[in-house]
């Protein structure tokens, strides 16, 4: 007997805020009428932390994990044990997104060491002989918009062989002068990062100019904490030997789910940075780093 | 069958009969009712855009009383198909009134016409040109990496990035993890095929809901555009790959559109509010996915491809995106790739938002800024590696820059055009831009500044863009618009100074061809002659003309468009030598045909100008001589038609002799084309008749000799014709002409030749490609022949009715088809002739030619010969009828033949003779025996006989009538 179970949320984009109600329907579709021992729906919001191998070693990281932090949990019984008629059945439900105490609902974030996820799970219990059915549906929570106004903080930069740190032989470097600016380092997450970069002059032709979006996750555990930076995405904004003196736009959209407003809690931190990477034809790499502060309005 | 009784034909008073047969004449006044008037079709001028079906509103007044044309009244929009079309277009079903469908189409068109009118050459037209022009014989390669990418940019020494863990957004469901396909050594056709395969797999992936895979395919294709190996192929590559991008853009747009079109389809002019949330979310997803594409070029191209989808998200989306994408192109380092990216953006921009011209202009000015890169090191190195010369490299930019300029210049204010031109003037190495400006800007703009442009061209760097291309572009504009009159000669001289120095014959002729039009348009034959001489000079060495036939044909075509007076044309001294350059047979014939067509269309008066005649004969002979065993029938027909058209325009006025000798010459020249020979025979016959008319029927010795010469001409020519019926008809016709001109022996010769030709007539002939029985044609001919024989006098040395007998003998000996009654029908047809011959005064005769009535003067021996012949014939017919009686199936034939004979006897026989009248009655009964005779015919015949019986001298018929009974059918 083929039975299918599905959860459909009312909102097309599945985005909710604290205090709102997550509403939707449980869709049950079966060929003939079916007996069941109850349908229940669980809503859960969890922060999963992954230990970095740097702090505790590879095997420890593999076996242990820091206990997940529960942000919200709720359970309702959608239907008592009984019979479901054949065909399609839709059972509506509602969950208020309310926390107990002074817990804050962090924004949904899928990272490497930190994972904040909200999901709905529907369980259909059946008799001993038939297998129980289960279905999960993730939904997205956005943090409350911040109250204070965002004042853009533009940053100018100039890169020459002299301004570079972290290099060994400055003399072997070819000469170049690259200028530019970012319109803001405290960015609104729903708007793209913008700016400009100009290759004023360069001895060696340019191979590529890229924007590297980096997440910096800090996880704490008993033994200490680890700060890990990983790349989210790399967007190329110039390819080949660009014209000197022509300003090239910097434009990058913050990817959904993989970015969230900069978050700092007692147990973990999620921060973001951007690197402007210039690759010269002789494969020299020039990077300029900018920490970002993302927020939602 | 009893014989001895004289069965005579009855005497006829032809004149009285003719009077009796005439219907009542009624006077009719001009302007009154005319029986044909109501169904006359008047040519009504219809408005542009409306269908022909719109009736009274637009048709002229004279047809106001005309009944409505039933077919056109259907096109009022209420037919099911029009209504369906109306609803699917989202407009209310058409109100049934006459010009509604036309209006619908017009309304829709008018909306689009605001921005881009029909005078904007669409991209689709350029596509084919580019693919044809930018070809390569070198090997190409495609490098497709479908799976996860190996990090390219971060090499050793990367800072702060952990290489172990990398979560890229492109690593969605990796179906073909790490599959890298590198196809090397593809020929150009293979490459095009491979791209087409990708297009197909894109559509298939989309159709099977593998949207991610579809996106990957598009991304990989776009990456191919950053590869400039085999740079000569780049423009074509661009065309092929942007096709895929277009497909993708269309698929995404349609998908989201269909998500909104439930239940009702989204109207054309929908707004953001009409879009439901799910569709908006889907659209947003696409944009997010594309924003995460790593490489610049695919991200740019794919976002441009789905530019239209911004409409679903916001009103200002497109307006904001276009400038952003325009600025993004600055990140492309290779100027050629950047130029084409701009062209794509311009194209998409014009399609989606033609009113946003600012970003178009921005594109152009950015293009100018990046122009100096062409002289830069990277580009130069590339050219050296690929062994491509700078001029050739520069021509690769032309399609892209032409397109961008065309989009910008379209309906642009003159101020903008002037500004752009000035900006280009100030740039170094601006030949490329100049060329594109001349191509893209309005011809009127270019023509007005033609002298300026020439100055700018002169200042251009020699080693850059080829100058002949610049002049070619200028020439093209000047072919559409006229420069100021005072400057024209200078322009021509300047242009030609440069063109004549072009060394490569191909380049030369490409340029010269364009300027020929300018010359023809504004100058006289002298200048055109000079141009022709120059072309001949350039193309003759090394037989360079062999590669340039298309362009040379185009030159002739242009000259023919402007010069219709052939005496002027042929007086151009280099015209015929120019024609001699066409040495390939097929091309030469084509050119001759085109000249002939123009000649026939425009040479309206008859001519005897020797220059024209000579030249045209030469051309016709060229066409004729190309006919060989392999020539198609159709081709022969069209060539013959053209030559005949020419021959018809030749007239020497009263100088008939010269005309005849011309025909002799023509016959020798065109002996292979039968229709031409037929035309010549007709011409000569006409000549003879003309002579007769001029001499008013009495020939002098000279003219008599002349008409005999004409007859001789025909007599010699006819046997060389192939078609037997043509020969028969021409023999008869020429015989009649000869007779009219009192050439008795010639006439006899013609008629005898026709008769002796009869045995050769085959049983079936090919008519329009199908085999048909020749019997009908033969019967027709013989009846015609018999009718002519009435006026042919007997030859004194031969027996009485020599020709008639000869004919009848031939008919008897001819092997008719089995079960054919044709022979008997001939006999039945011969009886009226014999009846006519026995009259005292013949029904018709040729003036000044004595026919048998005069020769024999009613001699009893003559009459008895006629009667004997009639008897024999009737006997033969009756025998045949008896033979038919034996066979069951032939009853119908027997009935029909019997009735025919009855009719003849009734019309021509003297029924006072009892035996004859008895025969007639018997025939009537025989015909009606089995009820197979046509009742209506019988009834009418009986009526006729009764009517005839009332005449004073026909009283005997009354008795016959009583014996003619009609069988009543049960």
């Amino acid at each position: 007997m083929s039975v299918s179970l599905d959860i459909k949320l009312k909102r097309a984009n599945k985005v909710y805020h604290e205090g709102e109600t997550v509403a939707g329907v449980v869709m049950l579709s079966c060929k003939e009428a079916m007996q069941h021992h109850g349908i229940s729906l669980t809503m859960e919001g969890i922060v999963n932390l992954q230990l970095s191998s740097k702090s505790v070693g590879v095997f420890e990281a593999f076996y242990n994990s820091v206990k997940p932090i529960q942000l919200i949990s709720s359970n309702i019984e959608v239907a008592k044990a009984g019979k479901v008629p054949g065909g399609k059945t839709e059972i509506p439900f509602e969950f208020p997104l309310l926390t107990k105490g002074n817990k804050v609902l962090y924004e949904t974030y899928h990272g490497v060491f930190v994972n904040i996820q909200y999901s709905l799970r529907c369980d259909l219990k059946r008799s001993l002989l038939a297998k129980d059915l289960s279905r999960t549906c993730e939904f997205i929570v956005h943090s409350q918009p911040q109250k204070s106004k965002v004042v853009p903080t533009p940053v100018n930069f100039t890169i020459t062989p002299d301004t570079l740190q972290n290099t060994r032989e400055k003399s072997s470097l070819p000469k170049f002068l690259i200028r530019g600016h970012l319109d803001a380092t405290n960015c609104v997450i729903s708007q793209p990062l913008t700016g400009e970069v100009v290759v004023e002059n360069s001895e060696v032709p340019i191979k590529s100019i890229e924007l590297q979006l980096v997440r910096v996750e800090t996880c704490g555990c008993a033994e200490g904490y680890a700060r890990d930076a990983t790349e989210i995405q790399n967007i190329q904004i110039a390819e080949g030997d660009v014209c000197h003196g022509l300003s090239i736009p910097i434009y990058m959209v913050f990817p959904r789910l993989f970015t969230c407003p900069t978050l700092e809690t007692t147990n973990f931190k999620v921060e973001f940075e951007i690197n402007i990477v210039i690759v010269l034809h002789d494969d020299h790499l020039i990077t300029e780093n900018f920490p970002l502060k993302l927020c939602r309005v | 069958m009893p014989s001895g009784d004289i069965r005579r034909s009855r005497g006829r008073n032809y004149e009285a009969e003719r009077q009796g047969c005439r219907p009542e004449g009624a006077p009719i006044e001009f302007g009154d009712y005319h029986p044909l008037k109501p169904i006359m079709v008047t040519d009504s001028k219809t408005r542009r855009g409306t269908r022909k079906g719109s009736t009274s509103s637009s048709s002229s007044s004279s047809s106001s009383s005309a009944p409505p044309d039933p077919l056109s009244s259907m096109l009022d929009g209420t037919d099911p198909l029009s209504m369906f079309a109306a609803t699917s277009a989202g407009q209310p079903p058409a109100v049934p009134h006459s010009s509604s469908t036309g209006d619908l189409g017009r309304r829709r068109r008018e909306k689009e016409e605001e921005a881009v009118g029909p005078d904007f050459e669409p991209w689709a037209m350029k596509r084919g040109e580019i693919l044809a022009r930018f070809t390569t014989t070198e090997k190409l390669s495609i490098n497709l990496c479908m799976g996860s990418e190996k990090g390219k940019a971060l090499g050793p020494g990367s800072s702060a990035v952990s290489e172990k863990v990398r979560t890229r957004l492109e690593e969605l469901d990796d179906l073909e993890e790490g599959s890298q396909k590198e196809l090397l050594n593809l020929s150009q056709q293979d490459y095009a095929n491979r791209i087409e395969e990708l297009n197909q797999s894109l559509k298939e992936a989309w159709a099977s809901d593998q949207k991610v895979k579809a996106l990957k395919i598009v991304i990989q294709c776009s990456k191919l555009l950053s590869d400039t190996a085999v740079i000569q192929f780049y423009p074509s590559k661009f065309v092929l790959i942007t096709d895929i991008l277009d497909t993708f853009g269309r698929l995404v747009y349609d998908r989201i559109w269909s998500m909104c079109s439930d239940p009702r389809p989204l109207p054309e002019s929908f707004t953001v509010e009409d879009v439901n949330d799910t569709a908006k979310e889907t659209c947003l997803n696409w944009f997010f996915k594309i924003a995460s594409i790593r490489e610049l070029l695919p991200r740019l191209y794919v976002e441009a491809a789905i530019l239209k989808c911004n409409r679903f998200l916001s009103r200002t989306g497109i307006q904001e995106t276009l400038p952003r994408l325009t600025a993004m192109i600055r990140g492309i380092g290779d100027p050629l790739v950047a130029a084409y990216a701009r062209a794509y953006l311009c194209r998409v921009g014009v399609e989606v938002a033609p009113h946003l011209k600012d970003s178009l202009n921005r594109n152009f000015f950015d293009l100018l800024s990046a122009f100096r890169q062409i002289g830069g090191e990277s580009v130069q190195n590339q050219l050296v590696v690929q062994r491509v010369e700078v001029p050739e490299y520069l021509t690769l930019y032309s399609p892209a820059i032409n397109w961008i300029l065309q989009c910008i210049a379209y309906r642009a204010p003159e101020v903008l055009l002037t500004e752009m031109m000035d900006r280009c003037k100030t740039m170094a190495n601006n030949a490329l831009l100049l060329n594109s400006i001349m191509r893209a800007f309005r011809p009127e703009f270019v023509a007005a500044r033609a002298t300026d442009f020439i100055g700018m061209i002169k200042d251009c760097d020699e080693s850059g863009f080829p100058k002949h291309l610049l002049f070619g572009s200028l020439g093209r504009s000047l072919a559409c618009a006229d420069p100021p009159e005072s400057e024209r000669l200078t322009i021509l001289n300047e242009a030609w100074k440069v063109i004549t120095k072009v060394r490569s014959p191909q380049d030369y002729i490409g340029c010269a061809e364009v300027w020929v039009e300018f010359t023809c348009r504004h100058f006289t034959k002298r200048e055109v002659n000079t141009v022709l001489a120059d072309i001949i000079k350039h193309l003759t060495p090394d037989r360079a003309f062999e590669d340039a036939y298309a362009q040379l044909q185009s030159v002739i075509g242009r000259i023919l468009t402007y010069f219709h007076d052939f005496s002027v044309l042929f007086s151009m001294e280099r015209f015929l030598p120019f024609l001699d350059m066409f040495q390939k047979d097929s091309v030469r014939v084509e050119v001759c045909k085109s000249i002939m067509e123009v000649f026939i269309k425009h040479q309206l008066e008859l001519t005897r100008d020797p220059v024209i005649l000579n030249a045209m004969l030469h051309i016709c002979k060229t066409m004729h001589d190309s006919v060989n065993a392999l020539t198609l029938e159709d081709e022969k027909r069209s060539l013959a038609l053209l030559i005949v058209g020419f021959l018809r325009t030749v007239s020497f006025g009263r100088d008939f002799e010269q005309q005849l000798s011309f025909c002799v010459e023509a016959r020798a020249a065109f002996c292979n084309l039968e229709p031409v020979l037929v035309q010549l025979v007709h011409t000569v016959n006409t000549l003879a008749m003309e002579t007769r008319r001029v001499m008013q029927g009495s020939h002098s010795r000279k003219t008599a000799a002349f008409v005999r010469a004409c007859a001789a001409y025909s007599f010699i020519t006819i046997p060389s014709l192939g078609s037997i019926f043509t020969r028969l008809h021409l023999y008869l016709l020429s015989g009649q002409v000869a007779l009219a001109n009192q050439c008795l022996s010639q006439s006899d010769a013609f008629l005898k030749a026709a008769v002796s030709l009869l045995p050769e007539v085959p049983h079936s002939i090919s008519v329009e490609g199908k085999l048909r029985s020749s019997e009908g044609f033969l019967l027709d001919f013989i009846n015609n022949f018999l009718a002519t024989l009435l006026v042919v006098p007997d030859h004194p040395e031969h027996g009485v009715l020599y020709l008639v007998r000869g004919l009848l003998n031939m008919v008897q000996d001819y092997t008719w088809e089995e079960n054919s009654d044709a022979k008997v029908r001939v006999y039945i047809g011969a009886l009226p002739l014999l009846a006519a011959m026995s009259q005292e005064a013949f029904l018709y005769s040729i003036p000044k030619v004595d026919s048998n009535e005069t020769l024999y003067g009613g001699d009893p021996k003559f009459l008895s010969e006629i009667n004997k012949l009639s008897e024999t014939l009737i006997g033969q017919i009756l025998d045949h009828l008896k033979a038919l009686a034996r066979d069951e199936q032939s009853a119908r034939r027997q009935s029909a033949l019997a009735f025919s004979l009855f009719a003849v006897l009734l019309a021509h026989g003297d029924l006072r003779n009892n035996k004859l009248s008895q025969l007639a009655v018997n025939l009537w009964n025989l015909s009606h025996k089995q009820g197979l005779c046509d009742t209506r015919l019988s009834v009418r015949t009986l009526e006729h006989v009764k009517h005839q019986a009332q005449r004073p001298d026909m009283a005997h018929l009354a008795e016959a009538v009583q014996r003619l009974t009609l069988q009543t059918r049960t």
Side-chain angles (χ1 to χ4, degrees), chain A residues 79-134:
Chain A
K80 288 204 188 50
K83 211 170 181 174
V84 168
K88 274 207 188 125
T89 318
E90 286 188 3
I91 311 169
F93 63 85
E94 265 184 19
F95 272 107
L97 268 181
L98 296 166
T99 53
K100 299 186 216 98
N102 52 357
K103 278 209 188 130
V104 174
L105 286 183
Y106 302 130
E107 179 156 321
T108 302
Y109 167 69
H110 293 184
V112 177
F113 296 101
V114 178
N115 212 65
I116 307 173
Q117 204 163 358
Y118 297 85
S119 56
L120 288 170
R121 196 182 73 245
C122 181
D123 292 304
L124 173 73
K125 282 192 277 290
R126 289 203 284 178
S127 61
L128 274 157
L129 297 170
K131 218 165 60 154
D132 289 347
L133 283 176
S134 187

Side-chain angles (χ1 to χ4, degrees), chain A residues 13 112 210 212 215 231-239 241-244 246-247 249 251 253 255-256 258, chain B residues 153-154 161 167-169 226 281 285 288 291 293-296 299 324 327 330-333 372-373 378:
Chain A
N13 60 1
V112 177
E210 295 154 12
Q212 191 183 42
R215 71 192 130 211
E231 178 185 296
I232 302 174
Q233 68 178 15
N234 183 308
I235 300 291
Q236 185 189 44
I237 56 172
E239 182 184 353
D241 190 21
V242 292
C243 195
H244 295 176
L246 210 57
S247 74
Y251 183 92
V253 171
R256 299 178 296 187
F258 296 96
Chain B
L154 302 177
V161 175
T167 315
R168 299 283 181 94
L169 288 177
S226 53
E281 187 62 22
N285 280 341
F288 267 104
I293 298 175
R294 187 186 164 262
E295 283 87 5
L296 174 64
R299 197 169 69 244
R324 175 166 62 81
R330 294 197 203 135
I332 300 177
R372 55 193 140 100
Q373 279 187 297
S378 329

Side-chain angles (χ1 to χ4, degrees), chain A residues 1-5 27-34 84-88 124 126 130-131 133:
Chain A
M1 189 164 45
S2 61
V3 184
S4 80
L5 184 65
M27 290 205 330
L28 202 57
S29 140
C30 48
K31 270 198 241 156
E32 315 146 350
M34 183 188 71
V84 168
K88 274 207 188 125
L124 173 73
R126 289 203 284 178
K131 218 165 60 154
L133 283 176

